[in-house]
Amino acid sequence: MSASENPIFLRQRLRDRLKRAREAADLTQQQVADSFGWSPSKVIRIENGKIGVSVTDAMALLGKYGIAGEEADQLIALAKAARQPTWYSGYRQIISPEFQAYLAYEESASIVRNFARNVIPGLMQTEEYARTLLRGFNEGEGAEKGDLEMRVELRMRRQRVLESDSAQFFFVLDEAALRRFVGGDTVMRQQYEALLRTNELPNVKVMYVPFTAGIYPLFRTPYQVFEFPSDNDDLVAYLETPEGEVLLSEKTPRAGRRLQPADYLDTFWKVEKTVAVEITEEILLGK
């Protein structure tokens, strides 16, 4: 299974296509549920992702919506692929549903833009840096040692996504993320060397915003923006806030002055073009 075939992402794509097909057939959710003798909420829960879609249900819905031939075959194949387990299903005990969705977006995106304020992003952390950092995060929370090692293992496994030849990764780090001391001198030197190696990958660009840049847009909030190869897939933004993890899509209702994913994309682009500079061996290692 390729990165672009992450089951969680495919489930979302299937839900979206089924919803568009229902609307094109000029049917309400209630009408569809009534025609199959389903509970009134089943179609709602399918379309908002609360429950999965069985292959049998997908076939029934496609017939109801008048979809046949090649398009129907594609959607049935999508329904089958969407029911496969993810590679990180074995880590569910240590990650939230929001982060599981995040991993799906991270694997499926064609472009990932990551702004980090406090620490090196997980995709570029060395094993010792990650272990020291995660141990500090979990200190005092009674976390089991086994959980810590699972989190480190998961983080290292995630980094394989950087090997993709179909995705691009752009990282902008506040200088604080570079200067914060995590572990000893050896850990930091290894981390700096890893950053430089990662920046040499053809599909990766690593930049930072120096302290001398002062205040710049959205510098207080770590965020990621995911872009996808299909025009039918919305931009998605992932935020790390004091209240927890937040996932936003262009379909997310705007609440008050809440920004949309396109706003985070515009801000990232502005910061990248106006105040960020590329990391160098001299900046990190003093050479």
Side-chain angles (χ1 to χ4, degrees):
M1 181 174 295
S2 70
S4 62
E5 293 175 331
N6 181 285
I8 291 180
F9 184 76
L10 294 183
R11 288 168 208 163
Q12 176 180 303
R13 179 173 288 172
L14 177 62
R15 295 195 305 265
D16 290 345
R17 292 183 68 175
L18 288 174
K19 181 178 180 180
R20 289 198 300 271
R22 176 183 60 77
E23 292 171 342
D26 198 24
L27 293 168
T28 67
Q29 294 171 327
Q30 185 67 57
Q31 287 173 328
V32 174
D34 289 345
S35 68
F36 294 118
W38 292 347
S39 68
S41 65
K42 181 169 180 176
V43 179
I44 296 173
R45 295 170 69 200
I46 285 175
E47 292 185 359
N48 66 17
K50 297 298 183 183
I51 60 173
V53 187
S54 71
V55 175
T56 300
D57 284 350
M59 293 174 67
L61 290 169
L62 293 175
K64 181 68 178 179
Y65 302 155
I67 296 176
E70 184 177 349
E71 183 179 3
D73 292 341
Q74 291 175 350
L75 290 175
I76 294 301
L78 185 59
K80 291 178 180 178
R83 297 189 67 80
Q84 299 301 310
T86 63
W87 66 262
Y88 47 84
S89 59
Y91 297 93
R92 282 179 293 185
Q93 70 186 70
I94 61 168
I95 55 178
S96 67
E98 290 81 6
F99 195 67
Q100 291 184 55
Y102 171 91
L103 292 176
Y105 293 132
E106 185 175 75
E107 281 202 325
S108 305
S110 55
I111 301 177
V112 177
R113 303 179 195 273
N114 187 318
F115 170 71
R117 182 187 69 172
N118 295 315
V119 296
I120 305 301
L123 284 181
M124 299 190 292
Q125 292 174 8
T126 65
E127 185 171 337
E128 283 307 311
Y129 182 100
R131 182 173 288 107
T132 303
L133 188 67
L134 292 170
R135 185 183 295 119
F137 285 165
N138 294 321
E139 193 171 303
E141 296 181 5
E144 298 290 335
K145 182 178 180 181
D147 285 354
L148 171 63
E149 291 307 312
M150 283 186 71
R151 292 180 188 280
V152 173
E153 182 181 294
L154 172 64
R155 189 157 295 189
M156 296 302 102
R157 171 62 180 81
R158 279 175 58 203
Q159 295 179 1
R160 298 181 190 177
V161 74
L162 295 177
E163 301 169 6
S164 170
D165 57 3
S166 60
Q168 294 179 289
F169 296 84
F170 298 88
F171 297 92
V172 171
L173 286 59
D174 188 273
E175 188 170 355
L178 297 177
R179 302 309 178 197
R180 178 162 283 102
F181 203 71
V182 177
D185 290 332
T186 300
V187 172
M188 289 305 297
R189 183 176 183 85
Q190 291 174 344
Q191 181 60 72
Y192 289 151
E193 291 172 345
L195 277 178
L196 293 169
R197 288 195 300 272
T198 302
N199 195 38
E200 292 175 355
L201 295 174
N203 60 325
V204 177
K205 183 177 183 181
V206 185
M207 306 182 76
Y208 82 103
V209 181
F211 289 136
T212 53
I215 306 301
Y216 54 95
L218 296 181
F219 80 100
R220 295 181 299 175
T221 305
Y223 62 90
Q224 290 84 48
V225 181
F226 303 102
E227 300 177 58
F228 303 98
S230 172
D231 292 337
N232 293 322
D233 296 320
D234 285 335
L235 280 174
V236 172
Y238 173 85
L239 317 179
E240 298 174 34
T241 73
E243 292 75 34
E245 304 151 314
V246 178
L247 278 167
L248 300 174
S249 77
E250 292 297 309
K251 297 174 183 174
T252 304
R254 185 184 291 269
R257 299 178 63 185
R258 172 185 279 179
L259 299 178
Q260 296 292 87
D263 298 317
Y264 286 95
L265 176 60
D266 289 344
T267 297
F268 188 98
W269 187 89
K270 182 177 180 180
V271 170
E272 180 186 13
K273 301 300 181 184
T274 61
V275 295
V277 295
E278 193 162 343
I279 62 167
T280 64
E281 190 172 12
E282 181 180 7
I283 289 295
L284 296 181
L285 300 174
K287 294 183 179 180

